Amino acid sequence: MSVLAQTRQDALNLFEKLGLPTQRDEDWKYTDASRLKDLLQPTPTDANIHIKDMGITGLDAYRMVFINGLFAEAESNLPEGVSILSLAELEKNSVGEDAEGIAKLFTVDTQAPLLNGFNAFNAAKASDGAVIILADNAILTKPLYILHISNQSNVVRHSFMIGKHAEAQVIEHFISTDDTKALSNTCSFVALKAEARLEHTRIQQEGSKQSHVARVQVKQCKGSSYQFHGVEIGGILSRTDLVVNLHGEGASCDLNGLFVLGGRQHVDHHTRIDHKAPHCTSRELYRTVLDGRSHGVFNGKVMVHEDAIKTDSNMSNGNILLSKHAEIDTKPELEIYNDDVKCAHGATIGQLDDKQLFYLRSRGISAETAQELLTFAFADEVLVAMSNQTVRSYVEKAAFAKLPHSDDLEEMLGS
Amino acid sequence: MLEVKDLHVSVEGKKILKGLSLTINAGEVHAIMGPNGAGKSTLSNVIAGRDGYEITSGTITYKGDDLLEMSPEERAWAGVFLAFQYPVEIPGVNNTYLLKAGVNAKRKHQGLEELDAFDFMKTVKEKAKLVELDPSFLSRSVNEGFSGGEKKRNEIFQMAVLDPALALLDETDSGLDIDALRIVAGGVNKLRSKDKAIVMITHYQRLLDYIEPDFVHVLADGVIQKTGDKSLAVALEEHGYDWVKENK
Ligand SMILES: Nc1ncnc2c1ncn2[C@@H]1O[C@H](COP(=O)(O)OP(=O)(O)OP(=O)(O)O)[C@@H](O)[C@H]1O
Ligand SMILES: [Mg+2]
């Protein structure tokens, strides 16, 4: 058996050993993975999807399209002189020495936090993915927009390797063509060399019966910077494990999450930041707006290791429940193994601020509009950090369209 | 225009206003002074419609209507405006949008068409100039990161745009530097007219040098203890509030 085949077989064995997580698992207490058992197997067909005009229109970006987990080259537009490759393509052409390198892309790090059966399954069964290798000092002049379109279960596996002093912006967008019951199992592995910078956006906007399980695993070298924007507006059940390893001195991460949910949507983000080196900074801002019978779960754990002196960590999670049947379970956790740190974290669950409501009403804005305005503003604060304005206004429109009376958005929202 | 009669108000079981009466006619400017905690902000909040206050008895009539039956936005549409003592910051809500939404809600209520964007911006720029508010504040979030004085100036700017019939200014002069005080007072004076009324809550006689009141009231122990003209403010400055209580 080739190294590559062996690696994938190992992953399958690991999956069989781990199985799917159960609610007895502390990390899966609120999310019922058993519902996804029958949806695991990918069915990578291109299913006659007409992708014209799908996704974010008017975005000035390089484009990589995956249909049901397979790279659609004809629909894509990639830059010259930069290695942005299809994982399946690489796999097919791998021989000799290359094969070992490629096999590494499928290796499961069993020691990584929050590892679960879905992740092992992903390594075993991924049908394709994007492999970005950005050389030292290279700058991707436009964002890379990775559009995932599906109406079947699919398994994709991305690797973003950003060289020293290199810079990139990657936007992953997940949409469906219909309301088929299916599962997207996705992994994105990010490796940032010294002083590298990546802005990484994930927008989960799949069909109303689609489920989504994701792992985003980031390793950061010295002085690198990683910015994450996770937007959850679609699907029925969505779980993300976001794992950041601040491995090199002076690295920084900035994690932003926004859930705008209604109906019976269930979204669970577990984030884990390991401060392993001195002088690292982590920022985390998660906000949820929950309507209907939706259920949000946020678990944010920051672990400050012994050597990580002068750690600066700040986490905040705010939640607004618009309906009395909506539910949020939030747990910010902090574990610190040295004294020389500055850490703050907190979560709020609540209704809107009375003083702000009264202020708006006293200016002639109706109670109903004032509530919406404050809700939009609350959610929008997470998006302020997004550098791409086309993406930001797309997300604003898509997210806020879920709430009643969402006209006049652009002027409504402050800067 | 406004008639407050025998108003009793409690907050969390504590009696704050104890039978306060006050009549304000169109064209008049009133000043209300009084010690800290006397209930001045309570009175203005109750007039503007803030909840959390228990009105145990008394009435407030505004232009012939029962004000207490109206929601805060209905009061705003009817021309009531409160410049807050402590304006709240509202991150993410654009200052200009707030005003546009406010102006148009009022117009809609009056059966008028919405202002078009161009006319609205013209008014906004004019009024910003009037209170010498830096135009960059227009595109910022409501009061977010504003200094104390900038917040007060923004309140007067909002007042100028919303063009109320009854303006309550709760310590708008506190926290203003001398130049700002002059500018804000100038803005208020421009709003004076025979069909409008202004109520200024203040601790300082200085404001009254700029905006000359027709009446000065002293609010203490939950009622208006004394009413006079501008000279009452001067006497207060000299003798303090105990003197008022002793010389009712
Ligand atoms: N929400 C509240 N809960 C409890 N007590 C309150 C509340 N609001 C007002 N009070 C009390 O009511 C009293 C009157 O307060 P108010 O703010 O009206 O005073 P004021 O005359 O405006 O004082 P200042 O000159 O300091 O602004 C104070 O004793 C205050 O503590
Ligand atoms: Mg007060």
Side-chain angles (χ1 to χ4, degrees), chain A residues 356 358-365 367 374 377 411-415, chain B residues 50 72-73 77 82 89 92 94 97-98 100 102 105 139 143 155 158:
Chain A
Q356 294 180 339
F358 177 62
Y359 190 94
L360 295 174
R361 296 179 69 188
S362 77
R363 297 312 182 234
I365 293 173
L374 291 180
E411 29 176 2
M412 181 180 309
L413 299 163
S415 45
Chain B
R50 178 149 187 203
E73 55 271 31
W77 300 336
L82 169 62
E89 300 194 5
N94 180 287
Y97 174 78
L98 163 69
K100 191 171 172 198
S139 56
N143 294 323
E155 294 291 287
Q158 293 188 4

PDB file of all heavy atoms in Angstrom, chain A residues 356 358-365 367 374 377 411-415, chain B residues 50 72-73 77 82 89 92 94 97-98 100 102 105 139 143 155 158:
ATOM      1  N   GLN A 356     -30.855  52.347  26.095  1.00  0.00           N
ATOM      2  CA  GLN A 356     -30.704  52.590  24.657  1.00  0.00           C
ATOM      3  C   GLN A 356     -32.068  52.591  23.972  1.00  0.00           C
ATOM      4  O   GLN A 356     -32.338  53.420  23.105  1.00  0.00           O
ATOM      5  CB  GLN A 356     -29.801  51.523  24.040  1.00  0.00           C
ATOM      6  CG  GLN A 356     -28.367  51.601  24.534  1.00  0.00           C
ATOM      7  CD  GLN A 356     -27.484  50.527  23.917  1.00  0.00           C
ATOM      8  OE1 GLN A 356     -27.969  49.514  23.438  1.00  0.00           O
ATOM      9  NE2 GLN A 356     -26.183  50.743  23.948  1.00  0.00           N
ATOM     10  N   PHE A 358     -34.944  53.348  25.264  1.00  0.00           N
ATOM     11  CA  PHE A 358     -35.674  54.572  25.594  1.00  0.00           C
ATOM     12  C   PHE A 358     -35.110  55.765  24.828  1.00  0.00           C
ATOM     13  O   PHE A 358     -35.849  56.609  24.337  1.00  0.00           O
ATOM     14  CB  PHE A 358     -35.635  54.831  27.105  1.00  0.00           C
ATOM     15  CG  PHE A 358     -36.320  56.121  27.473  1.00  0.00           C
ATOM     16  CD1 PHE A 358     -37.671  56.300  27.208  1.00  0.00           C
ATOM     17  CD2 PHE A 358     -35.617  57.157  28.075  1.00  0.00           C
ATOM     18  CE1 PHE A 358     -38.314  57.491  27.531  1.00  0.00           C
ATOM     19  CE2 PHE A 358     -36.247  58.355  28.400  1.00  0.00           C
ATOM     20  CZ  PHE A 358     -37.595  58.523  28.126  1.00  0.00           C
ATOM     21  N   TYR A 359     -33.816  55.803  24.722  1.00  0.00           N
ATOM     22  CA  TYR A 359     -33.187  56.911  23.998  1.00  0.00           C
ATOM     23  C   TYR A 359     -33.723  56.977  22.560  1.00  0.00           C
ATOM     24  O   TYR A 359     -34.142  58.025  22.082  1.00  0.00           O
ATOM     25  CB  TYR A 359     -31.675  56.725  23.986  1.00  0.00           C
ATOM     26  CG  TYR A 359     -30.895  57.916  23.466  1.00  0.00           C
ATOM     27  CD1 TYR A 359     -30.391  58.875  24.343  1.00  0.00           C
ATOM     28  CD2 TYR A 359     -30.652  58.085  22.109  1.00  0.00           C
ATOM     29  CE1 TYR A 359     -29.672  59.967  23.871  1.00  0.00           C
ATOM     30  CE2 TYR A 359     -29.942  59.173  21.635  1.00  0.00           C
ATOM     31  CZ  TYR A 359     -29.439  60.106  22.521  1.00  0.00           C
ATOM     32  OH  TYR A 359     -28.736  61.178  22.057  1.00  0.00           O
ATOM     33  N   LEU A 360     -33.735  55.834  21.891  1.00  0.00           N
ATOM     34  CA  LEU A 360     -34.209  55.803  20.508  1.00  0.00           C
ATOM     35  C   LEU A 360     -35.683  56.193  20.421  1.00  0.00           C
ATOM     36  O   LEU A 360     -36.088  56.965  19.551  1.00  0.00           O
ATOM     37  CB  LEU A 360     -33.998  54.407  19.906  1.00  0.00           C
ATOM     38  CG  LEU A 360     -32.545  53.953  19.757  1.00  0.00           C
ATOM     39  CD1 LEU A 360     -32.480  52.506  19.279  1.00  0.00           C
ATOM     40  CD2 LEU A 360     -31.804  54.851  18.764  1.00  0.00           C
ATOM     41  N   ARG A 361     -36.473  55.659  21.334  1.00  0.00           N
ATOM     42  CA  ARG A 361     -37.912  55.957  21.300  1.00  0.00           C
ATOM     43  C   ARG A 361     -38.162  57.436  21.574  1.00  0.00           C
ATOM     44  O   ARG A 361     -39.036  58.049  20.972  1.00  0.00           O
ATOM     45  CB  ARG A 361     -38.652  55.078  22.302  1.00  0.00           C
ATOM     46  CG  ARG A 361     -38.570  53.602  21.953  1.00  0.00           C
ATOM     47  CD  ARG A 361     -39.288  52.738  22.970  1.00  0.00           C
ATOM     48  NE  ARG A 361     -40.737  52.928  22.902  1.00  0.00           N
ATOM     49  CZ  ARG A 361     -41.585  52.409  23.778  1.00  0.00           C
ATOM     50  NH1 ARG A 361     -41.139  51.695  24.803  1.00  0.00           N
ATOM     51  NH2 ARG A 361     -42.885  52.610  23.646  1.00  0.00           N
ATOM     52  N   SER A 362     -37.361  58.003  22.451  1.00  0.00           N
ATOM     53  CA  SER A 362     -37.557  59.418  22.770  1.00  0.00           C
ATOM     54  C   SER A 362     -37.216  60.298  21.567  1.00  0.00           C
ATOM     55  O   SER A 362     -37.552  61.477  21.551  1.00  0.00           O
ATOM     56  CB  SER A 362     -36.712  59.823  23.977  1.00  0.00           C
ATOM     57  OG  SER A 362     -35.364  59.988  23.576  1.00  0.00           O
ATOM     58  N   ARG A 363     -36.536  59.712  20.582  1.00  0.00           N
ATOM     59  CA  ARG A 363     -36.242  60.465  19.363  1.00  0.00           C
ATOM     60  C   ARG A 363     -37.273  60.194  18.284  1.00  0.00           C
ATOM     61  O   ARG A 363     -37.100  60.587  17.126  1.00  0.00           O
ATOM     62  CB  ARG A 363     -34.838  60.117  18.844  1.00  0.00           C
ATOM     63  CG  ARG A 363     -33.690  60.476  19.785  1.00  0.00           C
ATOM     64  CD  ARG A 363     -33.806  61.893  20.305  1.00  0.00           C
ATOM     65  NE  ARG A 363     -32.713  62.306  21.174  1.00  0.00           N
ATOM     66  CZ  ARG A 363     -32.870  62.807  22.398  1.00  0.00           C
ATOM     67  NH1 ARG A 363     -34.077  62.910  22.945  1.00  0.00           N
ATOM     68  NH2 ARG A 363     -31.838  63.205  23.099  1.00  0.00           N
ATOM     69  N   GLY A 364     -38.315  59.442  18.650  1.00  0.00           N
ATOM     70  CA  GLY A 364     -39.422  59.235  17.715  1.00  0.00           C
ATOM     71  C   GLY A 364     -39.388  57.912  16.972  1.00  0.00           C
ATOM     72  O   GLY A 364     -40.148  57.694  16.035  1.00  0.00           O
ATOM     73  N   ILE A 365     -38.499  57.013  17.395  1.00  0.00           N
ATOM     74  CA  ILE A 365     -38.418  55.717  16.724  1.00  0.00           C
ATOM     75  C   ILE A 365     -39.311  54.725  17.465  1.00  0.00           C
ATOM     76  O   ILE A 365     -39.237  54.634  18.695  1.00  0.00           O
ATOM     77  CB  ILE A 365     -36.955  55.263  16.683  1.00  0.00           C
ATOM     78  CG1 ILE A 365     -36.210  56.230  15.752  1.00  0.00           C
ATOM     79  CG2 ILE A 365     -36.815  53.837  16.205  1.00  0.00           C
ATOM     80  CD1 ILE A 365     -34.748  56.056  15.716  1.00  0.00           C
ATOM     81  N   ALA A 367     -41.101  51.508  19.143  1.00  0.00           N
ATOM     82  CA  ALA A 367     -40.510  50.483  20.010  1.00  0.00           C
ATOM     83  C   ALA A 367     -39.992  49.321  19.173  1.00  0.00           C
ATOM     84  O   ALA A 367     -38.878  48.830  19.385  1.00  0.00           O
ATOM     85  CB  ALA A 367     -41.549  50.002  21.016  1.00  0.00           C
ATOM     86  N   LEU A 374     -31.360  48.021  17.448  1.00  0.00           N
ATOM     87  CA  LEU A 374     -30.357  47.629  18.444  1.00  0.00           C
ATOM     88  C   LEU A 374     -29.866  46.207  18.200  1.00  0.00           C
ATOM     89  O   LEU A 374     -28.694  45.893  18.425  1.00  0.00           O
ATOM     90  CB  LEU A 374     -30.917  47.766  19.859  1.00  0.00           C
ATOM     91  CG  LEU A 374     -31.162  49.206  20.313  1.00  0.00           C
ATOM     92  CD1 LEU A 374     -31.728  49.240  21.726  1.00  0.00           C
ATOM     93  CD2 LEU A 374     -29.874  50.030  20.264  1.00  0.00           C
ATOM     94  N   ALA A 377     -27.464  46.389  15.296  1.00  0.00           N
ATOM     95  CA  ALA A 377     -26.225  47.045  15.713  1.00  0.00           C
ATOM     96  C   ALA A 377     -25.370  46.095  16.553  1.00  0.00           C
ATOM     97  O   ALA A 377     -24.154  46.008  16.395  1.00  0.00           O
ATOM     98  CB  ALA A 377     -26.543  48.310  16.498  1.00  0.00           C
ATOM     99  N   GLU A 411     -27.861  52.469   5.726  1.00  0.00           N
ATOM    100  CA  GLU A 411     -27.734  53.730   6.439  1.00  0.00           C
ATOM    101  C   GLU A 411     -27.959  53.548   7.930  1.00  0.00           C
ATOM    102  O   GLU A 411     -27.481  54.325   8.753  1.00  0.00           O
ATOM    103  CB  GLU A 411     -28.674  54.792   5.882  1.00  0.00           C
ATOM    104  CG  GLU A 411     -29.912  54.271   5.274  1.00  0.00           C
ATOM    105  CD  GLU A 411     -30.838  55.412   4.821  1.00  0.00           C
ATOM    106  OE1 GLU A 411     -30.458  56.583   4.959  1.00  0.00           O
ATOM    107  OE2 GLU A 411     -31.939  55.105   4.370  1.00  0.00           O
ATOM    108  N   MET A 412     -28.708  52.505   8.250  1.00  0.00           N
ATOM    109  CA  MET A 412     -29.015  52.293   9.653  1.00  0.00           C
ATOM    110  C   MET A 412     -27.760  52.014  10.468  1.00  0.00           C
ATOM    111  O   MET A 412     -27.633  52.423  11.617  1.00  0.00           O
ATOM    112  CB  MET A 412     -29.960  51.105   9.756  1.00  0.00           C
ATOM    113  CG  MET A 412     -30.373  50.788  11.144  1.00  0.00           C
ATOM    114  SD  MET A 412     -31.482  49.385  11.218  1.00  0.00           S
ATOM    115  CE  MET A 412     -32.767  49.727  10.065  1.00  0.00           C
ATOM    116  N   LEU A 413     -26.837  51.321   9.821  1.00  0.00           N
ATOM    117  CA  LEU A 413     -25.714  50.839  10.602  1.00  0.00           C
ATOM    118  C   LEU A 413     -24.579  51.838  10.620  1.00  0.00           C
ATOM    119  O   LEU A 413     -24.197  52.371   9.601  1.00  0.00           O
ATOM    120  CB  LEU A 413     -25.263  49.511  10.022  1.00  0.00           C
ATOM    121  CG  LEU A 413     -26.412  48.504  10.106  1.00  0.00           C
ATOM    122  CD1 LEU A 413     -26.167  47.332   9.204  1.00  0.00           C
ATOM    123  CD2 LEU A 413     -26.634  48.043  11.525  1.00  0.00           C
ATOM    124  N   GLY A 414     -24.081  52.070  11.792  1.00  0.00           N
ATOM    125  CA  GLY A 414     -23.017  53.045  11.968  1.00  0.00           C
ATOM    126  C   GLY A 414     -21.696  52.513  11.460  1.00  0.00           C
ATOM    127  O   GLY A 414     -21.612  51.420  10.920  1.00  0.00           O
ATOM    128  N   SER A 415     -20.689  53.286  11.593  1.00  0.00           N
ATOM    129  CA  SER A 415     -19.399  52.866  11.078  1.00  0.00           C
ATOM    130  C   SER A 415     -18.597  52.165  12.154  1.00  0.00           C
ATOM    131  O   SER A 415     -18.913  52.228  13.301  1.00  0.00           O
ATOM    132  CB  SER A 415     -18.642  54.070  10.588  1.00  0.00           C
ATOM    133  OG  SER A 415     -18.752  55.108  11.518  1.00  0.00           O
TER     134      SER A 415
ATOM    135  N   ARG B  50     -40.204  57.687  30.121  1.00  0.00           N
ATOM    136  CA  ARG B  50     -39.370  56.552  30.498  1.00  0.00           C
ATOM    137  C   ARG B  50     -40.105  55.674  31.499  1.00  0.00           C
ATOM    138  O   ARG B  50     -40.731  56.181  32.431  1.00  0.00           O
ATOM    139  CB  ARG B  50     -38.087  57.086  31.123  1.00  0.00           C
ATOM    140  CG  ARG B  50     -37.200  55.985  31.576  1.00  0.00           C
ATOM    141  CD  ARG B  50     -35.777  56.338  31.500  1.00  0.00           C
ATOM    142  NE  ARG B  50     -35.038  55.140  31.791  1.00  0.00           N
ATOM    143  CZ  ARG B  50     -33.807  55.121  32.230  1.00  0.00           C
ATOM    144  NH1 ARG B  50     -33.161  56.252  32.375  1.00  0.00           N
ATOM    145  NH2 ARG B  50     -33.206  53.993  32.470  1.00  0.00           N
ATOM    146  N   PRO B  72     -43.378  56.787  24.611  1.00  0.00           N
ATOM    147  CA  PRO B  72     -42.314  57.774  24.405  1.00  0.00           C
ATOM    148  C   PRO B  72     -42.260  58.276  22.960  1.00  0.00           C
ATOM    149  O   PRO B  72     -42.066  59.469  22.730  1.00  0.00           O
ATOM    150  CB  PRO B  72     -41.035  56.993  24.742  1.00  0.00           C
ATOM    151  CG  PRO B  72     -41.472  55.893  25.623  1.00  0.00           C
ATOM    152  CD  PRO B  72     -42.877  55.558  25.216  1.00  0.00           C
ATOM    153  N   GLU B  73     -42.442  57.355  21.984  1.00  0.00           N
ATOM    154  CA  GLU B  73     -42.353  57.805  20.595  1.00  0.00           C
ATOM    155  C   GLU B  73     -43.529  58.700  20.227  1.00  0.00           C
ATOM    156  O   GLU B  73     -43.371  59.659  19.474  1.00  0.00           O
ATOM    157  CB  GLU B  73     -42.197  56.615  19.627  1.00  0.00           C
ATOM    158  CG  GLU B  73     -43.242  55.523  19.692  1.00  0.00           C
ATOM    159  CD  GLU B  73     -42.886  54.430  20.706  1.00  0.00           C
ATOM    160  OE1 GLU B  73     -42.241  54.724  21.723  1.00  0.00           O
ATOM    161  OE2 GLU B  73     -43.274  53.265  20.459  1.00  0.00           O
ATOM    162  N   TRP B  77     -43.353  62.412  18.705  1.00  0.00           N
ATOM    163  CA  TRP B  77     -44.078  62.862  17.504  1.00  0.00           C
ATOM    164  C   TRP B  77     -44.900  64.106  17.809  1.00  0.00           C
ATOM    165  O   TRP B  77     -45.092  64.960  16.947  1.00  0.00           O
ATOM    166  CB  TRP B  77     -45.006  61.752  16.984  1.00  0.00           C
ATOM    167  CG  TRP B  77     -44.277  60.499  16.612  1.00  0.00           C
ATOM    168  CD1 TRP B  77     -42.958  60.392  16.263  1.00  0.00           C
ATOM    169  CD2 TRP B  77     -44.803  59.174  16.584  1.00  0.00           C
ATOM    170  NE1 TRP B  77     -42.634  59.087  16.018  1.00  0.00           N
ATOM    171  CE2 TRP B  77     -43.747  58.312  16.200  1.00  0.00           C
ATOM    172  CE3 TRP B  77     -46.058  58.608  16.829  1.00  0.00           C
ATOM    173  CZ2 TRP B  77     -43.926  56.931  16.063  1.00  0.00           C
ATOM    174  CZ3 TRP B  77     -46.237  57.239  16.690  1.00  0.00           C
ATOM    175  CH2 TRP B  77     -45.175  56.413  16.316  1.00  0.00           C
ATOM    176  N   LEU B  82     -36.413  65.466  25.031  1.00  0.00           N
ATOM    177  CA  LEU B  82     -35.575  65.515  26.229  1.00  0.00           C
ATOM    178  C   LEU B  82     -34.103  65.442  25.829  1.00  0.00           C
ATOM    179  O   LEU B  82     -33.682  64.489  25.175  1.00  0.00           O
ATOM    180  CB  LEU B  82     -35.929  64.341  27.160  1.00  0.00           C
ATOM    181  CG  LEU B  82     -34.984  64.082  28.338  1.00  0.00           C
ATOM    182  CD1 LEU B  82     -34.924  65.277  29.292  1.00  0.00           C
ATOM    183  CD2 LEU B  82     -35.422  62.834  29.117  1.00  0.00           C
ATOM    184  N   GLU B  89     -24.561  55.862  25.028  1.00  0.00           N
ATOM    185  CA  GLU B  89     -23.837  55.502  23.806  1.00  0.00           C
ATOM    186  C   GLU B  89     -24.555  54.339  23.130  1.00  0.00           C
ATOM    187  O   GLU B  89     -24.930  53.381  23.792  1.00  0.00           O
ATOM    188  CB  GLU B  89     -22.388  55.087  24.125  1.00  0.00           C
ATOM    189  CG  GLU B  89     -21.599  56.193  24.791  1.00  0.00           C
ATOM    190  CD  GLU B  89     -20.093  55.945  24.802  1.00  0.00           C
ATOM    191  OE1 GLU B  89     -19.643  54.944  24.211  1.00  0.00           O
ATOM    192  OE2 GLU B  89     -19.373  56.765  25.398  1.00  0.00           O
ATOM    193  N   GLY B  92     -22.857  51.210  16.889  1.00  0.00           N
ATOM    194  CA  GLY B  92     -23.434  50.551  15.725  1.00  0.00           C
ATOM    195  C   GLY B  92     -24.649  51.250  15.143  1.00  0.00           C
ATOM    196  O   GLY B  92     -25.089  50.900  14.057  1.00  0.00           O
ATOM    197  N   ASN B  94     -26.024  54.555  13.588  1.00  0.00           N
ATOM    198  CA  ASN B  94     -25.511  55.771  12.985  1.00  0.00           C
ATOM    199  C   ASN B  94     -26.303  56.992  13.437  1.00  0.00           C
ATOM    200  O   ASN B  94     -27.521  57.006  13.415  1.00  0.00           O
ATOM    201  CB  ASN B  94     -25.592  55.565  11.470  1.00  0.00           C
ATOM    202  CG  ASN B  94     -25.097  56.738  10.706  1.00  0.00           C
ATOM    203  OD1 ASN B  94     -25.754  57.769  10.651  1.00  0.00           O
ATOM    204  ND2 ASN B  94     -23.929  56.591  10.124  1.00  0.00           N
ATOM    205  N   TYR B  97     -28.612  58.389  10.795  1.00  0.00           N
ATOM    206  CA  TYR B  97     -29.747  57.496  10.556  1.00  0.00           C
ATOM    207  C   TYR B  97     -30.800  57.656  11.639  1.00  0.00           C
ATOM    208  O   TYR B  97     -31.996  57.711  11.374  1.00  0.00           O
ATOM    209  CB  TYR B  97     -29.320  56.021  10.483  1.00  0.00           C
ATOM    210  CG  TYR B  97     -30.558  55.171  10.378  1.00  0.00           C
ATOM    211  CD1 TYR B  97     -31.218  55.066   9.166  1.00  0.00           C
ATOM    212  CD2 TYR B  97     -31.114  54.576  11.496  1.00  0.00           C
ATOM    213  CE1 TYR B  97     -32.394  54.377   9.063  1.00  0.00           C
ATOM    214  CE2 TYR B  97     -32.308  53.881  11.406  1.00  0.00           C
ATOM    215  CZ  TYR B  97     -32.943  53.780  10.191  1.00  0.00           C
ATOM    216  OH  TYR B  97     -34.124  53.106  10.090  1.00  0.00           O
ATOM    217  N   LEU B  98     -30.324  57.721  12.869  1.00  0.00           N
ATOM    218  CA  LEU B  98     -31.238  57.873  13.998  1.00  0.00           C
ATOM    219  C   LEU B  98     -32.148  59.082  13.779  1.00  0.00           C
ATOM    220  O   LEU B  98     -33.362  59.014  13.942  1.00  0.00           O
ATOM    221  CB  LEU B  98     -30.415  58.037  15.287  1.00  0.00           C
ATOM    222  CG  LEU B  98     -31.154  58.603  16.491  1.00  0.00           C
ATOM    223  CD1 LEU B  98     -32.163  57.612  17.011  1.00  0.00           C
ATOM    224  CD2 LEU B  98     -30.178  58.956  17.591  1.00  0.00           C
ATOM    225  N   LYS B 100     -32.773  60.672  10.948  1.00  0.00           N
ATOM    226  CA  LYS B 100     -33.617  60.528   9.768  1.00  0.00           C
ATOM    227  C   LYS B 100     -34.836  59.674  10.101  1.00  0.00           C
ATOM    228  O   LYS B 100     -35.968  60.018   9.753  1.00  0.00           O
ATOM    229  CB  LYS B 100     -32.813  59.887   8.644  1.00  0.00           C
ATOM    230  CG  LYS B 100     -33.514  59.953   7.328  1.00  0.00           C
ATOM    231  CD  LYS B 100     -32.599  59.519   6.206  1.00  0.00           C
ATOM    232  CE  LYS B 100     -33.389  59.412   4.929  1.00  0.00           C
ATOM    233  NZ  LYS B 100     -32.680  58.612   3.934  1.00  0.00           N
ATOM    234  N   GLY B 102     -36.091  59.243  13.020  1.00  0.00           N
ATOM    235  CA  GLY B 102     -36.921  60.016  13.954  1.00  0.00           C
ATOM    236  C   GLY B 102     -37.762  61.058  13.225  1.00  0.00           C
ATOM    237  O   GLY B 102     -38.980  61.152  13.439  1.00  0.00           O
ATOM    238  N   ALA B 105     -40.436  59.307  11.039  1.00  0.00           N
ATOM    239  CA  ALA B 105     -41.509  58.701  11.824  1.00  0.00           C
ATOM    240  C   ALA B 105     -42.495  59.794  12.254  1.00  0.00           C
ATOM    241  O   ALA B 105     -43.716  59.605  12.204  1.00  0.00           O
ATOM    242  CB  ALA B 105     -40.941  57.972  13.039  1.00  0.00           C
ATOM    243  N   SER B 139     -21.490  60.873  10.915  1.00  0.00           N
ATOM    244  CA  SER B 139     -21.409  59.499  10.426  1.00  0.00           C
ATOM    245  C   SER B 139     -20.930  58.539  11.512  1.00  0.00           C
ATOM    246  O   SER B 139     -20.734  57.364  11.262  1.00  0.00           O
ATOM    247  CB  SER B 139     -20.473  59.448   9.222  1.00  0.00           C
ATOM    248  OG  SER B 139     -19.218  59.966   9.589  1.00  0.00           O
ATOM    249  N   ASN B 143     -23.259  58.872  19.945  1.00  0.00           N
ATOM    250  CA  ASN B 143     -22.534  59.188  21.182  1.00  0.00           C
ATOM    251  C   ASN B 143     -21.325  58.315  21.489  1.00  0.00           C
ATOM    252  O   ASN B 143     -20.662  58.512  22.504  1.00  0.00           O
ATOM    253  CB  ASN B 143     -23.471  59.153  22.410  1.00  0.00           C
ATOM    254  CG  ASN B 143     -24.516  60.246  22.358  1.00  0.00           C
ATOM    255  OD1 ASN B 143     -24.224  61.353  21.915  1.00  0.00           O
ATOM    256  ND2 ASN B 143     -25.721  59.942  22.802  1.00  0.00           N
ATOM    257  N   GLU B 155     -26.776  66.404  21.710  1.00  0.00           N
ATOM    258  CA  GLU B 155     -28.177  66.463  22.142  1.00  0.00           C
ATOM    259  C   GLU B 155     -28.853  67.707  21.577  1.00  0.00           C
ATOM    260  O   GLU B 155     -29.979  67.650  21.085  1.00  0.00           O
ATOM    261  CB  GLU B 155     -28.270  66.487  23.679  1.00  0.00           C
ATOM    262  CG  GLU B 155     -27.802  65.213  24.369  1.00  0.00           C
ATOM    263  CD  GLU B 155     -28.720  64.039  24.126  1.00  0.00           C
ATOM    264  OE1 GLU B 155     -29.832  64.004  24.685  1.00  0.00           O
ATOM    265  OE2 GLU B 155     -28.317  63.150  23.359  1.00  0.00           O
ATOM    266  N   GLN B 158     -29.418  67.327  17.915  1.00  0.00           N
ATOM    267  CA  GLN B 158     -30.605  66.498  17.664  1.00  0.00           C
ATOM    268  C   GLN B 158     -31.876  67.304  17.867  1.00  0.00           C
ATOM    269  O   GLN B 158     -32.832  67.199  17.105  1.00  0.00           O
ATOM    270  CB  GLN B 158     -30.616  65.286  18.595  1.00  0.00           C
ATOM    271  CG  GLN B 158     -29.498  64.312  18.314  1.00  0.00           C
ATOM    272  CD  GLN B 158     -29.641  63.032  19.114  1.00  0.00           C
ATOM    273  OE1 GLN B 158     -30.615  62.843  19.831  1.00  0.00           O
ATOM    274  NE2 GLN B 158     -28.677  62.151  19.000  1.00  0.00           N
TER     275      GLN B 158
END
